[in-house]
Amino acid sequence: FQFQQGKYKGRIFVAANHSAGDPQKQFRDYAAHGFYSDDHGKTFKLTESVNIPGSNESTAAEISNNGIMFNARNQKGDIKARIIAISHNGGSHWDTTYFDKQLPDPVCEGSIVNIGFKNNKHLLAFSNAADIKNRNNLR
C-alpha cells in the first residue's frame, strides 16, 4: 500500500516474509517483515522482523497516527489466531506484537486493506477463514 496521509504520506510499504538457514521444527525459521520506499520505489529499506517465530504470509494497512497494522498467519499453528504487529513510525519498527484471539485462524492466509475514513479514523476490512481447524467460515 501507499500511505495516504500524515508524516509518511507517499511511502510505499510492502508486507513480506522470509526464512533463513536450515528448516527448523514448527517453522521457527519463518519470519514476517516488510520493506518500504520513500523515493517512489527507486530504493527500498527492510523493516525489522516481527518478533514471533513462524510468522508468515503477511499483509498490512495504514492506520491513524502514522501507523501500520501488520497482520500475519502463525505457521507454527500452536496458537490458532492471527499475529498483529503495530507500528507508529511508518513500519520501520514494531511497537506492539500480539496474537489476536478475536481473529481465529486455521493457519491460512488472510488479508487486510484500508477502505476509507470515518470520524478521522481509518476503516479496515479484514478477511480470513475464521475457524481454528479448517479453512471454513470466511469472514
Side-chain angles (χ1 to χ4, degrees):
F1 73 87
Q2 188 170 28
F3 276 87
Q4 299 300 305
Q5 61 181 192
K7 180 178 179 181
Y8 301 103
K9 184 176 181 177
R11 173 175 282 184
I12 298 168
F13 185 90
V14 180
N17 59 275
H18 66 279
S19 60
D22 293 330
Q24 296 179 17
K25 291 181 181 180
Q26 288 192 301
F27 305 97
R28 295 184 60 80
D29 53 315
Y30 287 19
H33 70 278
F35 49 99
Y36 61 92
S37 175
D38 291 322
D39 58 11
H40 305 289
K42 291 178 186 172
T43 61
F44 282 88
K45 295 179 182 177
L46 286 173
T47 72
E48 69 180 5
S49 294
V50 171
N51 64 359
I52 297 178
S55 55
N56 78 341
E57 290 191 353
S58 55
T59 186
E62 181 179 2
I63 59 174
S64 301
N65 300 321
N66 301 307
I68 291 177
M69 177 178 278
F70 194 84
N71 185 295
R73 83 175 183 177
N74 177 22
Q75 185 67 40
K76 289 179 1 185
D78 57 338
I79 298 173
K80 300 289 188 160
R82 300 295 296 177
I83 298 168
I84 304 296
I86 304 292
S87 171
H88 287 292
N89 64 1
S92 60
H93 173 76
W94 305 110
D95 304 315
T96 306
T97 305
Y98 60 95
F99 286 95
D100 190 336
K101 302 287 176 107
Q102 293 181 33
L103 299 175
D105 191 82
V107 185
C108 186
E109 188 167 2
S111 183
I112 190 170
V113 64
N114 185 313
I115 58 171
F117 302 93
K118 184 175 182 179
N119 299 327
N120 293 325
K121 291 186 178 181
H122 291 266
L123 296 175
L124 304 179
F126 174 74
S127 176
N128 81 319
D131 189 295
I132 62 169
K133 293 182 182 179
N134 299 300
R135 293 181 174 190
N136 294 328
N137 300 324
L138 180 65
R139 72 161 145 181

